[in-house]
Amino acid sequence: MNNNQSPFGGDFKGLIQERIKNFWGYGNLDSEVWFVGMEEGYNETNEILFERFKATAHKAVFDIYDDLKVDPGHVYWFEDNAPTQPTYRPLIYIQLYLQTGKEPTLEEIRQYQIKQFGRSNSDHTVLELMPLPSKSIKESDWLYTDSDVEGLSTRKEYLATYKPQRVRELHALIQQYKPKLVLFYSRTYLPDWQQIASIPFVETIPKKLHTAKDHGTLYAVVPHATSFGMSKNDWKAIAETIASSL
């Protein structure tokens, strides 16, 4: 994000700092189901990123559609005729299974994505442990090197500087709101999820599901939605096990 890439100067710097401090994601924190990922993906221009940061400033959570109409590539997934989004699809599958006790159809998942997923009045929230969108976890894709914000020279420095505090803050947020289910998606970050839960996980389904329960909150860790080798039967088994544990 050097001067040739970003014309926004101090405004952009301020928005980045504000986002690190306050942003958590989308949906409804008063809901019983929380989905937690590592960070948002991002593949568009810095101009759109700037507008996105402006639209999601000064609060913890937002409406994933209404508050992000400045980003056409993003809201595409929530408009009529949108296909199912690969990351959202198994999360919605689990949510609908918990509601009905049966497998949802692909069309039911698609309609839920368009009309209910990540909305301010929804029955869940979709949070990110780390606040800054990124193209990938590669250092070469790190967008914020020249942002002039402390701790953002490299992705490695960013994680070392900000992740411990974000882990503590997310733990506190869960203790404050006490959702019934906190579902972390990505087994890669199991040590981070363990710190947030602060209780030992049990590998309930080998390589597919870890769970722990504490004071009415069930913590579950599942593979990322795009993990290789995950079948529909795997997601059904995960949903059934979570439902029986609540």
Side-chain angles (χ1 to χ4, degrees):
M1 202 173 287
N2 56 39
N3 290 335
N4 292 327
Q5 293 174 305
S6 171
F8 308 116
D11 289 344
F12 211 160
K13 177 181 177 180
L15 285 170
I16 291 170
Q17 292 170 319
E18 200 283 331
R19 189 177 178 93
I20 291 172
K21 180 180 179 181
N22 291 317
F23 178 83
W24 284 103
Y26 309 100
N28 178 10
L29 287 173
D30 288 314
S31 61
E32 295 185 344
V33 176
W34 288 21
F35 298 113
V36 181
M38 184 60 177
E39 66 190 8
E40 291 183 280
Y42 191 76
N43 287 303
E44 298 188 49
T45 66
N46 286 338
E47 285 75 14
I48 292 291
L49 190 63
F50 178 70
E51 294 300 325
R52 189 180 178 118
F53 282 12
K54 282 202 300 182
T56 53
H58 309 300
K59 290 196 305 181
V61 295
F62 298 84
D63 188 294
I64 204 168
Y65 177 74
D66 289 338
D67 290 327
L68 279 177
K69 291 182 180 179
V70 296
D71 186 346
H74 169 84
V75 298
Y76 161 79
W77 297 104
F78 308 99
E79 295 181 333
D80 290 342
N81 301 317
T84 57
Q85 204 269 5
T87 298
Y88 304 153
R89 187 163 54 237
L91 305 181
I92 296 171
Y93 177 102
I94 291 170
Q95 176 72 343
L96 290 176
Y97 188 95
L98 294 178
Q99 291 176 357
T100 66
K102 63 181 183 180
E103 288 188 86
T105 66
L106 188 63
E107 180 59 17
E108 287 171 335
I109 292 172
R110 194 180 74 85
Q111 288 297 327
Y112 187 95
Q113 173 185 303
I114 293 169
K115 297 175 181 178
Q116 299 182 57
F117 189 73
R119 309 304 285 266
S120 293
N121 62 351
S122 64
D123 53 11
H124 63 277
T125 192
V126 188
L127 307 182
E128 307 292 347
L129 176 58
M130 300 306 294
L132 299 181
S134 188
K135 293 180 179 180
S136 78
I137 62 172
K138 297 178 182 177
E139 286 289 354
S140 59
D141 284 334
W142 183 240
L143 297 170
Y144 308 95
T145 298
D146 298 324
S147 63
D148 195 32
V149 175
E150 180 182 359
L152 298 190
S153 294
T154 65
R155 179 181 178 84
K156 183 178 180 180
E157 184 184 22
Y158 164 62
L159 294 175
T161 302
Y162 295 107
K163 188 166 69 169
Q165 179 65 24
R166 295 279 294 189
V167 164
R168 291 191 294 270
E169 289 176 355
L170 184 52
H171 172 79
L173 208 59
I174 292 168
Q175 299 308 305
Q176 177 184 349
Y177 285 91
K178 296 179 170 51
K180 286 188 176 180
L181 172 64
V182 178
L183 188 146
F184 302 105
Y185 54 99
S186 180
R187 294 177 67 251
T188 302
Y189 303 104
L190 184 59
D192 299 310
W193 310 145
Q194 179 71 79
Q195 288 184 56
I196 293 166
S198 297
I199 53 173
F201 281 108
V202 174
E203 192 170 21
T204 315
I205 301 176
K207 298 184 179 181
K208 294 181 175 66
L209 177 65
H210 289 72
T211 58
K213 198 163 189 178
D214 183 48
H215 295 97
T217 295
L218 176 68
Y219 296 91
V221 181
V222 302
H224 192 276
T226 58
S227 296
F228 178 76
M230 289 294 291
S231 68
K232 185 177 179 181
N233 286 338
D234 290 329
W235 290 113
K236 182 180 180 182
I238 287 169
E240 288 175 339
T241 304
I242 290 173
S244 67
S245 301
L246 286 170

